Amino acid sequence: MKKVIVVGNGMVGYKFCEKFVAQENSKDFKVTIFGEEPRPAYDRVHLSEFFDNQDAKALEMAPAEWYAEHGIDLIIDERVSDIDRKNKTITTAKDRSFSYDYLVLATGSSAFVPPIKGVEKEGVFVYRTIEDLEGMLAYAAKLKEKNPNARAAVLGGGLLGLEAGKAVMDMGLEPHIVEFAPKLMPRQLDSRSSQVLQLKLESIGLNIHLSKATNQILGDKRITGMEFGEDDILDVDMLVVSAGIRPRDELGKSCGLEVGVRGGIVVDNKMLTSDESIYAIGEIALYNQMIYGLVAPGYDMAGIAVEQILGRTDVVMPEEIDMSTKLKLIGVDVASFGEPFMPASKGHSIIFENKTQHLYKRINVSLDGKSLLGGILVGDAADYNMLHQIYLNGMDIPEDPAQLILPASEGGSSFGSAMDLPDDAQICSCENVTKGQICGAITEGDCEDLASVAKHTKASTSCGGCKPMVADLVNETLKSLGKEVKETICEHFDFNRQELYDLIKINKVKDYQETLDLFGEGHGCEVCKPLIASIFASINMETPNRQVGIQDTNDRFLANIQRNGTYSVVPRIPGGEITPDKLIVIGEVAKKYDLYTKVTGGQRIDLFGAQLHELPLIWKELIDAGFESGHAYGKSLRTVKSCVGSTWCRYGMHESVTFAIEIENRYRGLRSPHKLKGGVSGCIRECAEARGKDFGLIAVEGGWNLYVCGNGGATPKHAILLAEQLDDETAVKYLDRFLMFYIRTAGPLVRTAPWLDKLEGGIDYLKQVVIEDSLGIAEDLELEMQGLVDKYECEWKQAIEDPKMMKRFKHFVNSDDTDDNLVFVPMRDQKMPKAWG
Amino acid sequence: MQDILSQYETVLEADVQTWFNVGVVSDFPENSGACIKYKSKQIAVYNFARTSKWYATQNLCPHKMEMVLSLGMIGDKDDIPKVACPMHKKNFSLKDGTSLGDEDLKIATYPVKIEDGNVYIGFSD
Ligand code: SRM
Ligand SMILES: Cc1cc2nc3c(=O)[nH]c(=O)nc-3n(C[C@H](O)[C@H](O)[C@H](O)COP(=O)(O)OP(=O)(O)OC[C@H]3O[C@@H](n4cnc5c(N)ncnc54)[C@H](O)[C@@H]3O)c2cc1C
Ligand code: SF4
Ligand code: FES
């Protein structure tokens, strides 16, 4: 049996193993892989996700058992320290020797730390391994304890630096990016797109310092600042160096393999080094005098080395390597592909720019106008996958190439469907999967949906960037086979939400169990139960008290579950208006039950830390004082935010508080596919942020302007004008119609904005339905809404008045004890749950 | 935290020393979970009323060490009975306590028996 040793258990080393064992004749080889890190290979590309959950397991490329199951010896936490080429053996730092027939070097790169005076100080980090991130998290936590306004800088404004910048920002530190070049992402972006990106990043709170050469790191033991020039100092408490990478070629050097001037082990197109038994792949390999700091070329190299070792020596690395990249900084779209900068001699560029919207798109087109050579997208990279494919496959482009990037409203047309791509078009570059393979998995294989295609072909399982395109291909292929593409809700129901809504309504189904008997199978799950609970609520205005077992935990207990399993209580305060007496009651209740108290972002007051058995007691006191549930836990109407309006404000045009209260009281308790929020502003200064809500009213000369389908949250959207200058009555009528139409037709957990996005015909169609009654259902919608409004009942009151319903507010069935695992710690004169370890 | 976790170990029917009476069937909500106390342990009991099947597991979710599993929604996935933690919706098999996602998490399971309308959980201590 021949022996293959892989040095380096990183992304590419792992991929080598995966591709190796997938080959038939690999059985004749024994593979041993060494990794210096304390854990098996993990997904470095998504390293930043570690900040969200600190879940190293979730990043693993494969668990340790995977290697064993495939006959691979995985040796981690052990560095290879020496190669003896003559005797074909390697030695490790633990002084163990192993012999090889083939050696594969996949040692990757390490972060490059420029030799700046003081970089060794405490608080200076690099961004490469899980341990680096753990170090940063611990340090940042300590900093914030001492100073809530601590600052962190990132040295380097490239792809990785910006990612690190976002990460320190999310850690709650004031983020600063320091870049030597006069622009951000100098390798991928031209000056104008760089500026647009800079504006966008500044608008989300990143501070950017360009053209700065750092002379030294200040501070005694710990970093306190960075010095650029004599009087040019930036005070910072932490620094992340992201100034490029250096290949880990020390092994190659010491055993005399040919290395490049600036590092990296030289390989040919077979991935062979200057020694016939030694291959190098990934971020250590110097191919075409380049280190490719991206994972996709590394995966290709792994594939080539596998083929070579297994005897298919004609398979070699292509000459040209695609360096297209899409930045995965959450919240900012940036991508560049092909030739991002292009000399005028080779072709011409078409640029679309809108600085106020932080939008920049550039495409470079050949001189004959026939092919796409490359481009840059900032602010909106939705078209990246398609443009990238057009570029990769040399596809024809429209006569007026501007159509490729212009927004539809300005004459652009969405060009090309994924189905137009040639079969050999590479859709997933990480896993090297072609369009033919994806469609073939359905037409020739027995895959029937996206999940099975992804599992079978591995497409979209790595960086996930190609997922929208894979989904398109799967859906289109299914359609072309006459198969219905349906978004069914889960394995228990073969229907979508709208179908179930109609089925339950028409058949007058009485509860969830009957729904399951009639239309479903199995026991249900956490997807279909709350969804069907919401349908019952929208049809019958029933509260969660009737079918307790199918409610999401929050609805089940009519309160929001918190980090430690306690609950929060939010009484309704319509429009945010509250009397001093009621304020006092809230204060007294909070004091009595020792609840952490906070004013919410929705103009009301949240009381946190109540135990299950205390909820009914607290509600009782609140109800006695005239409060009712605020439904903060439900997929239902939350708040209608108001500004003070014409009653007090010198600019106010109408009584916004009065109207907000009226609307909030009208729709309180209304269950919907996702939560609903409203706002009413007294004039166009818009202090109630009505356009950031699912529905918003803004007072204008002659009435209210009604806006719909906006939200804040993760993907903010401004609401769009539906109708102008409405009187109160018409505004409510349109709102009834709009909300009921949404409730009937939206998918599960789809808020109004994404619902409108998908609604064929968009806002114009919605106007026809709501204002012109083009479907002839307007009266029906109004009646239905009025029916729900009339049936409203406070569910807190309902629960505490019925001893059977009360049974659930107890921690133990068989004991009156309470949960003894709760640990609170003091915080600013109040308390909070002990932090998660 | 770790010692809280370590008191929960799967008990097989064959190893039961004590069948502990935790109440009558009607104390337990249908098609959902509830929590009982045995010595210092918190045990989640799940009543699958459609098929009259019962399961019990530790109440502690190993993900963030919270006493919450009895509050989660129950159901099945590929015919395996399961509970979804209310906090972050990690799914656990009620048959053997293994995670039904990709995580390396596991919960202890306990045998349940129903006799004369009483509910008993089996413990090995
Ligand atoms: C308490 C509060 C934060 C605060 O202390 O101010 C809050 C707390 C939570 N928000 Fe919020 N949001 C709160 C105002 C907001 C706002 C501001 C607003 O309403 O004007 C927004 C942005 C506006 C919007 O929704 O469009 C907001 C956008 C979200 C989102 C993102 C929604 C989206 O469409 O992207 C989520 C996640 C979700 O719903 O899936 C969320 C989810 C949550 C959850 C439910 C997360 C969870 O599952 O535990 C938090 C519940 C805590 C609790 O027990 O009460 N919260 N949340 C605010 C309660 C307002 C209230 O009085 O009811
Ligand atoms: C935060 C971050 C974000 C990124 N984002 C992207 C992105 O969006 N897109 C993209 O394409 N790329 C991205 N990259 C780059 C990508 O992660 C790398 O291209 C890829 O990891 C290279 O794989 P590799 O296996 O060659 O090297 P590595 O993943 O670095 O693996 C090498 C392994 O070998 C080990 N090793 C080294 N020497 C020895 C030795 N002597 N003995 C034993 N073990 C040894 C190392 O400890 C390491 O574990 C990102 C990188 C980082 C750090
Ligand atoms: S309150 Fe809202 S924004 Fe704040 S942590 Fe919770 S979900 Fe996130
Ligand atoms: S605490 Fe249970 S899933 Fe996170």
Side-chain angles (χ1 to χ4, degrees), chain A residues 15 18 299 428-433 457-462:
Chain A
K15 189 55 70 175
E18 185 191 292
Y299 281 3
C428 172
S429 53
C430 298
E431 298 290 340
N432 197 358
V433 189
T457 62
K458 295 198 126 270
S460 81
T461 56
S462 216

Side-chain angles (χ1 to χ4, degrees), chain A residues 555-589:
Chain A
D555 285 281
R556 180 171 167 192
F557 298 108
L558 312 177
N560 299 54
I561 193 167
Q562 301 298 321
R563 243 181 44 202
N564 60 350
T566 60
Y567 291 84
S568 75
V569 176
V570 187
R572 185 166 297 293
I573 300 180
E577 183 186 82
I578 186 162
T579 60
D581 280 337
K582 280 188 153 180
L583 263 181
I584 290 170
V585 171
I586 292 190
E588 280 170 346
V589 170

Side-chain angles (χ1 to χ4, degrees), chain A residues 93-235:
Chain A
K94 294 186 181 158
D95 224 10
R96 303 199 287 164
S97 287
F98 299 81
S99 67
Y100 65 81
D101 295 290
Y102 297 102
L103 186 65
V104 179
L105 298 175
T107 49
S109 293
S110 54
F112 168 62
V113 181
I116 299 169
K117 201 171 144 208
V119 278
E120 71 294 338
K121 289 199 186 355
E122 220 181 288
V124 181
F125 294 88
V126 296
Y127 198 69
R128 179 87 196 174
T129 65
I130 288 184
E131 283 69 29
D132 293 335
L133 267 57
E134 284 172 342
M136 288 167 64
L137 279 170
Y139 197 80
K142 265 201 309 193
L143 281 180
K144 275 191 305 186
E145 253 170 43
K146 278 188 237 132
N147 171 9
N149 303 319
R151 300 165 135 205
V154 174
L155 186 68
L159 205 66
L160 271 185
L162 295 182
E163 203 179 313
K166 180 74 170 34
V168 294
M169 180 161 102
D170 291 343
M171 270 188 254
L173 302 171
E174 184 185 303
H176 292 260
I177 306 270
V178 176
E179 167 61 47
F180 176 72
K183 62 178 186 181
L184 291 172
M185 292 181 68
R187 298 218 308 188
Q188 288 88 2
L189 300 185
D190 58 16
S191 311
R192 282 169 72 181
S193 53
S194 217
Q195 267 171 30
V196 173
L197 174 63
Q198 181 176 351
L199 285 175
K200 172 76 199 179
L201 291 173
E202 284 168 345
S203 80
I204 63 170
L206 259 62
N207 301 290
I208 299 187
H209 312 264
L210 299 175
S211 306
K212 296 278 184 209
T214 311
N215 291 339
Q216 67 165 315
I217 308 292
L218 305 171
D220 286 338
K221 225 171 98 219
R222 285 180 293 110
I223 175 171
T224 56
M226 301 164 75
E227 185 194 280
F228 309 120
E230 215 168 303
D231 292 317
D232 194 0
I233 284 173
L234 178 67
D235 291 331

Side-chain angles (χ1 to χ4, degrees), chain A residues 562 564 566-569 593-596 607-611 614 822 824 831:
Chain A
Q562 301 298 321
N564 60 350
T566 60
Y567 291 84
S568 75
V569 176
Y593 293 92
D594 188 19
L595 304 171
Y596 168 85
L607 311 173
F608 295 83
Q611 297 191 47
E614 294 174 324
L822 294 176
F824 291 98
K831 66 173 182 185

Side-chain angles (χ1 to χ4, degrees), chain A residues 5-64:
Chain A
I5 287 184
V6 185
V7 185
N9 183 219
M11 297 187 77
V12 174
Y14 162 76
K15 189 55 70 175
F16 175 88
C17 295
E18 185 191 292
K19 292 192 169 178
F20 200 84
V21 297
Q23 300 283 348
E24 258 312 301
N25 56 337
S26 64
K27 305 275 175 290
D28 308 333
F29 292 78
K30 174 77 198 170
V31 179
T32 307
I33 182 162
F34 289 86
E36 164 200 57
E37 292 187 63
R39 58 186 100 242
Y42 51 89
D43 184 353
R44 216 178 290 289
V45 170
H46 293 102
L47 190 61
S48 299
E49 286 171 15
F50 184 76
F51 285 123
D52 297 340
N53 47 26
Q54 273 126 74
D55 187 355
K57 274 263 165 213
L59 287 176
E60 255 175 19
M61 305 292 295

